[in-house]
Amino acid sequence: MTATAPPVGEADQPQPHTTPAPRVAARFRRLLPAAAAALFGVLLYVSFPPRTLWWLALPAFAGLGWVLRGRGWKAGLGLGYLFGLGFLLPLLVWTGVEVGPGPWLALAVIEAVFVALVGAGVAAVSGLPGRPVWAAALWTAGEAARARVPFEGFPWGKVAFGQADGLFLPLAAVGGTPVLGFAVVLCGFGLHDVVRLAVRARRTREVRRGAAVAALLGVAVPVVGAVAARPLVSDKAEDGTATVAVIQGNVPRAGLDFNAQRRAVLDHHARETERLAAEVGAGRVDRPDLVLWPENSSDIDPFANADARAVIDRAVKAIGAPVSVGGVVERDGRLLNEQILWDPDKGPVDTYDKRQIQPFGEYLPLRPLIGAINDDWTSMVSQDFSRGTEPGVFTMAGTKVGLVTCYEAAFDWAVRSEVVDGARMLSVPSNNATFDRSEMTYQQLAMSRVRAVEHSRTVTVPVTSGVSAIIMPDGRITRRTGMFVADSLVQEVPLRSSRTPATRLGVVPEIALVLVAAGGLGWAVGAGVRGRRARGV
């Protein structure tokens, strides 16, 4: 008897492999918040200089509020980290211009941890009444921590530093960078609540009056506060004026071998100063009362090298005005990044030693450990710089000039101390040649504009390779150079002695906002514990 196979039914036919639509949708829903968090971080980066799109910070934080709302703290931690990477990776790309991607990636990965912790906190307070206030205060607390640890902190990327062209800038005079940044973030989170409640009201025809009022206040109060603070911003002279000259000598070439060009860089700055002296002598340029050279304009120690001393002395005598010279000096076995006040008649008469030195640039933390990992890194910073201990205020032709050397401009305390010590104007001598034509120069210039408003002082920015600038106390740039050109800027600037609320209050607004953040976080944790007890968990 012959067996016959049963007919093959349709169900037995080979079927093409397909992923069920619900599974695809679920996967998309899981990936969407992560992708959105990173993209909103990129949006925050785009709001920073050299672009003038400061207002993009508002939708960036509105988006972050949307991503984190209703999430657990663990999800908030991960989404906050992605937001931080989206923001900091492109913002800090300049740190790898000459040394490769390793240090850049390491810095961004570490700094994003602070944003991750903020994300966890924002997720935790997202169910509280008045959530934009708690969330914005948490962001400020995260920036406060990032400005202090590790290795004395790294405040680069504070939200305030992206607002030099923005509506909220006058708030810098009220409470410094913490209040300015808090206002921007509050407005962004408030904008999220406004949009969310408007969409809900349209869908359900239900208006939650209390929540709507709180959301609207979150947007309106920062805007009204910024408008109300405008009278604090002024470029009027209170103590007369001074004619200042900013010298940009330029460098033979950009890159890490800047230090190998030390004599050429010194000669360039001396030559540009002598060229300016000739212009003054011919009556084509006003005679300056004081002259400002950049950081590292003389990396040859003029106290130990008679030839370098003679070059500087000749240039200073030619211009006939006191000059602040940026030098690298070895004294008592200590290497110092120093500003030297050089008088045309008396020579060097005063010095200021940089206090906030740059880790991995001017000193190497954990040197034995890093040397064991990569000898090349230890050779790049073969000798650590030492820190100065005193504020730097030079009296130049009767004008008190506060010195804030390059990296120090990112630190609130380093700028405020010079104003409290009597500075009538500020100078931020810098050397950006190592970073080529990257955005670093423009990010740092924006910091100086914020500092001008914060303390109501004229700020000059002499840079070896540009961009050098003169900034009025209201944050306007009135003179600037190009990059990698030899040039000088001469202008009569207002001198001011009054102190803004930000100068008087110092760190108090930041402490207050950190306490607000702690209060909101404590409330959220307490509410969560009570909720679990009520459910018998």
Side-chain angles (χ1 to χ4, degrees):
M1 187 173 181
T2 305
T4 58
V8 178
E10 186 176 328
D12 298 314
Q13 297 291 334
Q15 299 292 316
H17 179 72
T18 59
T19 302
R23 190 181 303 173
V24 174
R27 186 176 299 170
F28 177 76
R29 283 195 297 270
R30 286 196 300 271
L31 292 177
L32 178 61
L39 288 173
F40 285 127
V42 173
L43 191 65
L44 180 59
Y45 154 70
V46 175
S47 75
F48 272 66
R51 295 157 296 277
T52 57
L53 303 174
W54 59 270
W55 51 271
L56 285 178
L58 304 183
F61 282 104
L64 182 62
W66 168 70
V67 167
L68 294 177
R69 178 171 169 74
R71 305 278 178 184
W73 71 267
K74 291 181 181 179
L77 191 73
L79 293 170
Y81 193 71
L82 290 171
F83 182 87
L85 287 178
F87 170 46
L88 293 168
L89 276 172
L91 185 81
L92 302 178
V93 69
W94 52 268
T95 59
V97 166
E98 293 293 337
V99 295
W104 159 51
L105 294 173
L107 179 61
V109 163
I110 292 169
E111 293 296 309
V113 171
F114 292 92
V115 185
L117 294 172
V118 170
V122 171
V125 303
S126 65
L128 298 181
R131 63 185 64 83
V133 174
W134 311 117
L138 280 163
W139 183 273
T140 304
E143 288 191 338
R146 197 158 62 85
R148 290 166 173 82
V149 292
F151 312 127
E152 305 294 328
F154 186 73
W156 213 280
K158 273 189 167 186
V159 168
F161 296 147
Q163 297 295 309
D165 292 292
L167 167 69
F168 300 98
L169 181 60
L171 289 170
V174 175
T177 59
V179 167
L180 173 53
F182 172 79
V184 174
V185 180
L186 173 61
C187 196
F189 282 126
L191 180 62
H192 161 249
D193 270 13
V194 168
V195 173
R196 182 179 61 83
L197 291 171
V199 170
R200 176 174 178 170
R202 185 172 181 179
R203 187 173 62 245
T204 64
R205 305 296 180 184
E206 177 188 350
V207 177
R208 297 173 57 190
R209 195 176 302 275
V213 169
L216 288 170
L217 286 174
V219 175
V221 168
V223 174
V224 172
V227 173
R230 288 195 64 81
L232 295 173
V233 180
S234 173
D235 63 352
K236 305 299 184 206
E238 295 175 332
D239 298 274
T241 62
T243 300
V244 302
V246 170
I247 300 297
Q248 178 176 304
N250 200 16
V251 299
R253 58 190 178 278
L256 283 178
D257 61 347
F258 170 85
N259 288 336
Q261 312 167 55
R262 293 179 299 171
R263 178 53 194 265
V265 173
L266 171 57
D267 287 344
H268 282 200
H269 285 82
R271 186 181 306 125
E272 181 60 25
T273 303
E274 291 166 358
R275 187 198 65 79
L276 177 62
E279 293 286 301
V280 170
R284 290 188 288 269
V285 178
D286 291 339
R287 179 173 297 279
D289 299 311
L290 56 103
V291 181
L292 301 157
W293 283 16
E295 178 189 34
N296 297 125
S297 46
S298 178
D299 273 359
I300 303 174
D301 185 348
F303 298 106
N305 187 293
D307 187 49
R309 184 183 183 112
V311 169
I312 296 170
D313 203 51
R314 184 170 61 249
V316 175
K317 289 182 183 300
I319 196 66
V323 179
S324 178
V325 177
V328 173
V329 172
E330 190 164 357
R331 184 179 297 116
D332 301 325
R334 302 167 67 227
L335 191 64
L336 300 166
N337 186 337
E338 190 165 83
Q339 291 292 310
I340 307 164
L341 175 55
W342 209 287
D343 185 86
D345 298 318
K346 302 175 183 178
V349 294
D350 201 357
T351 59
Y352 165 63
D353 300 323
K354 187 176 182 180
R355 293 170 293 166
Q356 188 68 45
I357 57 177
Q358 183 181 352
F360 304 99
E362 293 171 307
Y363 78 100
L364 196 62
L366 309 174
R367 183 178 287 274
L369 175 62
I370 291 173
I373 297 171
N374 191 327
D375 285 339
D376 291 340
W377 293 348
T378 56
S379 64
M380 284 192 293
V381 188
S382 58
Q383 181 179 353
D384 291 342
F385 279 81
S386 296
R387 300 175 186 274
T389 57
E390 299 295 329
V393 179
F394 288 167
T395 301
M396 304 179 71
T399 298
K400 290 187 175 295
V401 182
L403 283 305
V404 182
T405 305
C406 196
Y407 183 60
E408 291 182 320
F411 292 83
D412 296 346
W413 68 268
V415 184
R416 177 178 179 268
S417 66
E418 316 302 63
V419 179
V420 170
D421 206 45
R424 298 296 187 259
M425 62 170 286
L426 297 168
S427 183
V428 184
S430 302
N431 168 31
N432 298 342
T434 301
F435 305 108
D436 206 350
R437 297 181 183 272
S438 69
E439 293 183 358
M440 180 268 186
T441 290
Y442 302 99
Q443 293 170 9
Q444 189 178 54
L445 185 59
M447 289 180 195
S448 296
R449 294 179 63 193
V450 173
R451 298 306 186 190
V453 173
E454 181 179 11
H455 298 292
S456 194
R457 294 293 187 272
T458 296
V459 178
T460 62
V461 186
V463 185
T464 50
S465 55
V467 172
S468 299
I470 296 175
I471 304 167
M472 291 293 100
D474 60 4
R476 288 180 300 116
I477 297 176
T478 53
R479 297 280 192 280
R480 65 187 296 168
T481 68
M483 292 188 75
F484 293 99
V485 294
D487 204 353
S488 57
L489 307 172
V490 179
Q491 184 177 334
E492 184 180 18
V493 301
L495 304 176
R496 293 177 60 84
S497 56
S498 63
R499 295 185 180 181
T500 63
T503 307
R504 292 195 298 269
L505 292 170
V507 76
V508 171
E510 186 176 53
I511 292 173
L513 290 170
V514 170
L515 291 175
V516 170
L521 204 55
W523 184 4
V525 171
V529 170
R530 289 190 297 272
R532 286 194 295 274
R533 286 176 179 171
R535 296 191 301 271
V537 179

